[in-house]
Amino acid sequence: MTNAEISDSIPGKFWDLSSSFVVLNLSMNQIPGKLPNLSTKNCTFRYFDLSSNLLDGPLPPFPSSVTILRLSQNMFSGPLSYFCETEAPDLYDLDLSDNQLSGELPSCWMQFRRLFFLNMAKNNLSGKISSSLGYLKDVVLLRLQDNKLSGELPSLENCTELRVVDLGANKLSGKIPTWIGPSLTKLLVLRLKSNEFYGSIPSSLCSLPALHVLDFSKNNLSGALPPCLPNITAYSSMSPEVKDNSEVGFVQLVWKGILIEFGENLKLLRSIDISSNNLSGDIPESVTSLLRLISLNLSSNNFTGVLPNNFGQLEMLESLDLSRNQISGSIPPSFSSLHFLGVLDLSYNNLSGRIPLSTQLQSFNASQFTGNLGLCGQPLTPECPGDVTTEYPSVPNGSGSDKNKQDGDGLISLGFYVSLALGFIIGFWSVCGTLVLKTSWRYAYFRFIDDIKARIM
């Protein structure tokens, strides 16, 4: 009875009548009230979906038969201690996201070792992430983003089936663990955005061959960008596409400046976002080998040096943000090959020289290039210094200025008129003066003219 506009609470006797039910789906209604202790009821639910309702109160224990439990988008509150009384060894899909749950994550995950999907995002959970999550060896999706979790990330190196790890928008700290790369080789999404991680980006992350989305933005990371990123073969063309039929759920990402929730189309995306950190050094030339990359955001860091010459090799790029760094030099001519760019921001760097000409680059707003004092050309400025222009040098008196304006292209000057007059005088008197002074030449000239007249008549 999903999306059936039910707005009344569930009667207590309903649970006593449900002993033969296997699937209960009352999602997307407006059902209020609290849930009783269902572990004491004679329930045989395996699929239990009450998501998108108005249920509140603490989470009770559930029947041991449950395998799918979806309670997202309600108003459940309080700690998860009662939920740990649930003894459901076959539970593989648990979605408690978008509620008001608080307190620390429980340490009872060893009793749910068959969990595939764990989603507790968008709550008020706090404290450290329990190391007991490491018992979930079959977990594919781990979503704990938008909470208040703190401390260092515990070891999950035994969770080798993980495809999505989303821990964004918490208060996690410490260094990014080096075990992530060698252990989580099937990882598609690694999102640690908006936390307090510090230190350098470990080169062990380059051992993630299937990674599609890397988001470390808004942390305190420092050091250089690892030059081994092309080892992440999902970003390069060094190996054929690996098909992964695992469900990845939904992941929120900033795409072209807008927060968008990606589902199955996430597998088509290739994105790196390490913006708003303290990274420094040059952008390595190896970045230009990420031929499948669609979105790259390195903005608001301390990158220096020049842009790699072969940036134009990234022909699949649709979004590129390198703004607010200290990058110098010119924009490589190869930028003209980035024909699919829908978002480009190179503002507030130390770039100089002419913006390369292309249909794509000149279509962007001037604000995407502003803050580069030495940069010139469309769309930032009409021309560059040294270009041939129609402007004329100023002269001391107004008549001279008017005269230059009348001369059109600025090439006709006073010297031109002097040369013209001298040439006329010399040429005229060279011919006519000879005829005046030499009688025989004058007679010959007039005889020649008379002969021409006679022949015409």
Side-chain angles (χ1 to χ4, degrees):
M1 292 186 287
T2 182
N3 199 17
E5 300 184 1
I6 300 172
S7 59
D8 199 1
S9 59
I10 301 174
K13 292 183 179 180
F14 173 83
W15 305 112
D16 296 324
L17 298 173
S18 60
S19 59
S20 60
F21 289 171
V22 175
V23 175
L24 175 64
N25 190 347
L26 296 174
S27 61
M28 292 187 288
N29 285 289
Q30 298 178 13
I31 300 173
K34 297 176 173 59
L35 292 180
N37 184 346
L38 297 178
S39 65
T40 63
K41 302 293 183 180
N42 189 22
C43 299
T44 58
F45 295 121
R46 294 183 63 81
Y47 184 108
F48 192 93
D49 192 345
L50 287 173
S51 58
S52 301
N53 277 287
L54 303 174
L55 298 167
D56 60 5
L59 277 179
F62 288 86
S64 60
S65 59
V66 67
T67 59
I68 297 176
L69 180 57
R70 295 174 180 170
L71 301 172
S72 62
Q73 298 185 29
N74 278 282
M75 295 184 292
F76 290 108
S77 60
L80 292 165
S81 53
Y82 289 114
F83 177 76
C84 281
E85 298 177 17
T86 301
E87 296 182 4
D90 295 327
L91 181 65
Y92 74 87
D93 187 343
L94 176 61
D95 190 350
L96 304 177
S97 63
D98 207 348
N99 279 284
Q100 301 172 21
L101 300 170
S102 59
E104 296 187 358
L105 277 174
S107 57
C108 57
W109 300 108
M110 63 283 294
Q111 65 195 54
F112 305 116
R113 295 192 182 192
R114 294 196 61 186
L115 265 179
F116 275 47
F117 308 110
L118 176 58
N119 188 354
M120 306 185 74
K122 299 182 180 179
N123 280 285
N124 295 314
L125 300 172
S126 59
K128 295 183 177 181
I129 298 177
S130 173
S131 60
S132 64
L133 282 175
Y135 287 100
L136 305 179
K137 295 183 179 181
D138 295 327
V139 66
V140 171
L141 184 146
L142 177 61
R143 296 186 62 185
L144 300 174
Q145 76 272 16
D146 294 287
N147 280 286
K148 300 175 182 177
L149 300 170
S150 59
E152 296 186 1
L153 189 61
S155 176
L156 300 176
E157 54 188 325
N158 292 328
C159 306
T160 56
E161 297 297 319
L162 274 169
R163 304 305 199 276
V164 174
V165 173
D166 193 345
L167 305 175
N170 279 287
K171 299 180 180 179
L172 299 170
S173 59
K175 295 185 177 181
I176 296 175
T178 57
W179 51 258
I180 292 180
S183 301
L184 309 184
T185 56
K186 298 180 181 179
L187 202 61
L188 298 173
V189 177
L190 179 57
R191 185 174 181 266
L192 304 180
K193 176 180 181 176
S194 300
N195 279 284
E196 298 171 8
F197 289 104
Y198 59 84
S200 60
I201 299 174
S203 58
S204 59
L205 292 177
C206 299
S207 302
L208 297 171
L211 194 65
H212 285 47
V213 175
L214 176 65
D215 190 348
F216 289 167
S217 61
K218 297 184 179 178
N219 279 280
N220 298 313
L221 299 174
S222 58
L225 198 64
C228 61
L229 288 176
N231 293 348
I232 304 176
T233 51
Y235 289 137
S236 68
S237 60
M238 297 176 62
S239 64
E241 187 79 17
V242 177
K243 300 297 182 182
D244 192 328
N245 295 323
S246 301
E247 294 183 27
V248 296
F250 292 91
V251 177
Q252 284 189 340
L253 299 171
V254 175
W255 173 246
K256 297 185 179 181
I258 304 173
L259 188 63
I260 296 178
E261 196 167 58
F262 287 84
E264 281 301 309
N265 53 352
L266 183 69
K267 294 180 180 179
L268 303 176
L269 182 63
R270 304 289 190 280
S271 172
I272 294 178
D273 188 348
I274 319 181
S275 60
S276 302
N277 280 282
N278 297 311
L279 298 174
S280 58
D282 294 356
I283 297 176
E285 185 75 30
S286 58
V287 167
T288 63
S289 297
L290 305 177
L291 302 183
R292 293 182 182 174
L293 196 62
I294 295 178
S295 177
L296 177 62
N297 189 347
L298 302 178
S299 64
S300 300
N301 280 285
N302 297 310
F303 286 113
T304 55
V306 299
L307 293 172
N309 284 327
N310 294 326
F311 232 106
Q313 291 182 166
L314 307 181
E315 295 182 357
M316 296 183 68
L317 268 182
E318 296 182 26
S319 179
L320 175 62
D321 192 346
L322 303 177
S323 63
R324 300 183 185 278
N325 281 284
Q326 301 174 34
I327 304 169
S328 59
S330 61
I331 300 175
S334 64
F335 266 63
S336 300
S337 300
L338 303 178
H339 300 300
F340 293 106
L341 274 182
V343 171
L344 174 66
D345 197 343
L346 301 177
S347 61
Y348 298 101
N349 280 284
N350 298 317
L351 295 170
S352 59
R354 183 188 301 275
I355 299 172
L357 292 175
S358 77
T359 305
Q360 203 68 16
L361 294 179
Q362 273 65 51
S363 67
F364 292 108
N365 192 284
S367 61
Q368 270 64 60
F369 299 92
T370 192
N372 295 281
L373 297 181
L375 204 60
C376 63
Q378 294 286 358
L380 193 59
T381 62
E383 294 156 346
C384 286
D387 288 350
V388 176
T389 68
T390 56
E391 296 183 3
Y392 310 97
S394 59
V395 293
N397 58 72
S399 61
S401 175
D402 292 341
K403 180 66 176 176
N404 281 340
K405 289 179 183 178
Q406 294 173 2
D407 288 341
D409 59 3
L411 297 176
I412 300 177
S413 61
L414 179 61
F416 172 81
Y417 291 110
V418 173
S419 301
L420 182 66
L422 289 174
F424 174 79
I425 293 171
I426 293 172
F428 177 81
W429 286 110
S430 296
V431 175
C432 296
T434 303
L435 296 177
V436 170
L437 296 176
K438 197 161 183 71
T439 305
S440 60
W441 283 31
R442 185 166 63 249
Y443 288 155
Y445 172 75
F446 286 114
R447 191 180 302 113
F448 173 73
I449 296 298
D450 289 340
D451 289 343
I452 292 176
K453 289 182 180 179
R455 289 175 184 176
I456 294 174
M457 298 178 64

